Amino acid sequence: MRTKILKKPTIKRLPTYLHILRQLSNEGEEYVSTTKLINELEFEPVLVRKDLATMDLPGKPRLGYKLQDLINAIEEYLGWNETSDAFLVGCGSLGVALMGYDPFKDYGLNIVAGFDNDSSKTGKSIHGKQVYNIAELPQMIKEQNIEVAVLTIPWQYAQDVANDLIKAGIKAIWNFTTVKLKVPEGVVTHNENLASGLALFSVKKKLRDNSDIED
Amino acid sequence: MRTKILKKPTIKRLPTYLHILRQLSNEGEEYVSTTKLINELEFEPVLVRKDLATMDLPGKPRLGYKLQDLINAIEEYLGWNETSDAFLVGCGSLGVALMGYDPFKDYGLNIVAGFDNDSSKTGKSIHGKQVYNIAELPQMIKEQNIEVAVLTIPWQYAQDVANDLIKAGIKAIWNFTTVKLKVPEGVVTHNENLASGLALFSVKKKLRDNSDIED
């Protein structure tokens, strides 16, 4: 079955639903009503109803959705029912931070090792994960069948390193550099930029105005 | 003078320009042409021209913009000509990561201390920054005139803690929880959600399709 393509804001809300649903499940709940979720969240009720409806699950009157079914549906949609092993490239301050951010595992991403070209970092372990020399990347990608990379190197090297990663077999790059990477068909990239978020925060702060800045 | 309100995508690109401009300045350059910036970046040339034009600076034929003027204009627009001291609340894995992320200082944000209610964390220092008990927050906010908080606590406590922060004098909250905070007029919040970014990345990865997901 072809995966339904949901809209961006819906996809961005899915981890929040999942987080709460998992919590309710841990507390021993079996069903969850839309009303309960709405009460637990700050999202608009109409959005929650719409988002949940996209999962195409039957709801029981009064009881709501079967909790585990809803969790499974969201995990499956996001591909988080399986965890992807990933290599992180660039063990600077951001890279180190991400290597130590445990909750990624709940989000389908398992960073298994780091890579850097700085010999003061290689051979050591960060947050229990080994750091290898970047020269070892291509061989290790092939040997371990790694398809996902997290890119946290200085932007000047981003495209070159991405080319090497893709040549070695990487199919998906979570890109924390500011470079918009050029990649061949079949390879995906997603850009994350904390500085951009901080810029939006700063402008709101300066304007002392919380209204959404125009898109 | 009232600050011009730029569009969101322009604001999000400003840190990237700033980063490159600062680098060129460090290399001793005095002027920068739009063409040079375009070559250094992966943004659409037409966007770069438009973004720079919003800064209302005179350009010199052939030479381009005076580098320092452009840097000043962007820093001033973002309010990054002054660094804001901030308290980080919630020293879990994300909080610790952000406390150790040095480049924030280049982006106008200086996290000066952390707060937690876990006594195994308080009294210690993380990345050279002291961790205090959350009970000390109100007084320390007042004493140190802190107006900015980074919120990295579990979402269940987010609204309550935000209320306390605001009561003590916080004017701007960079919110890493999934809760959409209710705040009074004059207080700003900006939500950052790494899980949302990872969700978008995961869906692209699963679809093996790099085309933008519909907004």
Side-chain angles (χ1 to χ4, degrees), chain A residues 2-9 11-16 19-20 23 40-44 75-80 84 93-95 97-98 100-104 107-109 147-149 155-156 159 171-176 178-184 186-210 212-215, chain B residues 2-9 11-16 19-20 23 40-44 75-80 84 93-95 97-98 100-104 107-109 127 147-149 155-156 159 171-176 178-183 186-210 212-215:
Chain A
R2 207 176 170 289
T3 306
K4 190 155 64 167
I5 300 185
L6 302 178
K7 282 176 191 281
K8 216 181 217 175
I11 296 173
K12 289 172 79 174
R13 282 190 291 269
L14 292 181
T16 306
H19 185 75
I20 292 174
Q23 205 140 26
E40 294 273 345
L41 288 161
E42 303 286 331
F43 301 147
E44 289 293 328
E75 286 185 344
E76 210 165 298
Y77 183 79
L78 294 172
W80 292 357
S84 301
S93 51
L94 180 61
L98 296 179
Y101 189 49
D102 289 331
F104 281 151
Y107 305 145
L109 187 78
E147 296 199 336
V148 181
W155 65 274
Q156 293 89 335
Q159 186 64 59
K171 298 285 182 225
I173 300 174
W174 197 15
N175 176 22
F176 283 79
T178 50
V179 174
K180 203 174 159 195
L181 298 170
K182 292 187 190 88
V183 297
V187 175
V188 301
T189 62
H190 184 67
N191 280 44
E192 207 70 50
N193 194 335
L194 274 181
S196 288
L198 191 45
L200 287 172
F201 175 57
S202 304
V203 171
K204 284 186 187 177
K205 183 156 66 80
K206 198 177 160 207
L207 299 174
R208 292 213 174 278
D209 186 354
N210 213 12
D212 262 340
I213 297 157
E214 214 184 324
D215 276 317
Chain B
R2 207 176 170 288
T3 306
K4 191 155 65 166
I5 299 186
L6 302 178
K7 281 175 190 282
K8 216 181 215 175
I11 295 172
K12 290 172 77 174
R13 282 189 291 270
L14 292 181
T16 307
H19 185 75
I20 292 174
Q23 205 140 27
E40 293 273 345
L41 287 163
E42 302 286 333
F43 301 147
E44 290 294 327
E75 286 185 343
E76 209 165 300
Y77 183 79
L78 294 172
W80 291 358
S84 301
S93 50
L94 180 61
L98 297 180
Y101 190 50
D102 290 331
F104 281 150
Y107 304 145
L109 186 78
H127 300 298
E147 298 200 333
V148 181
W155 65 275
Q156 292 91 334
Q159 185 65 59
K171 298 285 181 226
I173 300 175
W174 197 16
N175 176 20
F176 283 78
T178 51
V179 174
K180 203 174 158 192
L181 299 170
K182 293 189 189 86
V183 297
V187 175
V188 302
T189 63
H190 184 68
N191 279 43
E192 207 70 51
N193 193 336
L194 273 180
S196 287
L198 191 45
L200 288 171
F201 175 56
S202 302
V203 171
K204 282 186 187 178
K205 182 156 70 78
K206 198 177 160 207
L207 300 174
R208 292 212 172 280
D209 186 354
N210 213 13
D212 263 341
I213 297 156
E214 215 183 321
D215 278 315

Side-chain angles (χ1 to χ4, degrees), chain A residues 56-70:
Chain A
D56 286 332
L57 290 174
K60 279 200 180 172
R62 262 181 310 224
L63 284 171
Y65 294 101
K66 210 163 177 211
L67 199 48
Q68 199 53 53
D69 289 352
L70 193 48

Side-chain angles (χ1 to χ4, degrees), chain A residues 90-158:
Chain A
C91 300
S93 51
L94 180 61
V96 169
L98 296 179
M99 283 173 85
Y101 189 49
D102 289 331
F104 281 151
K105 261 186 247 170
D106 299 330
Y107 305 145
L109 187 78
N110 185 24
I111 299 173
V112 292
F115 292 83
D116 208 288
N117 62 0
D118 177 349
S119 59
S120 74
K121 290 175 184 162
T122 57
K124 292 180 185 160
S125 107
I126 295 176
H127 299 298
K129 289 156 189 170
Q130 194 69 17
V131 179
Y132 298 94
N133 192 293
I134 211 162
E136 298 183 53
L137 251 179
Q139 207 191 328
M140 286 184 66
I141 288 170
K142 283 174 200 154
E143 279 175 5
Q144 299 185 33
N145 272 316
I146 302 288
E147 296 199 336
V148 181
V150 181
L151 202 60
T152 47
I153 54 177
W155 65 274
Q156 293 89 335
Y157 312 113

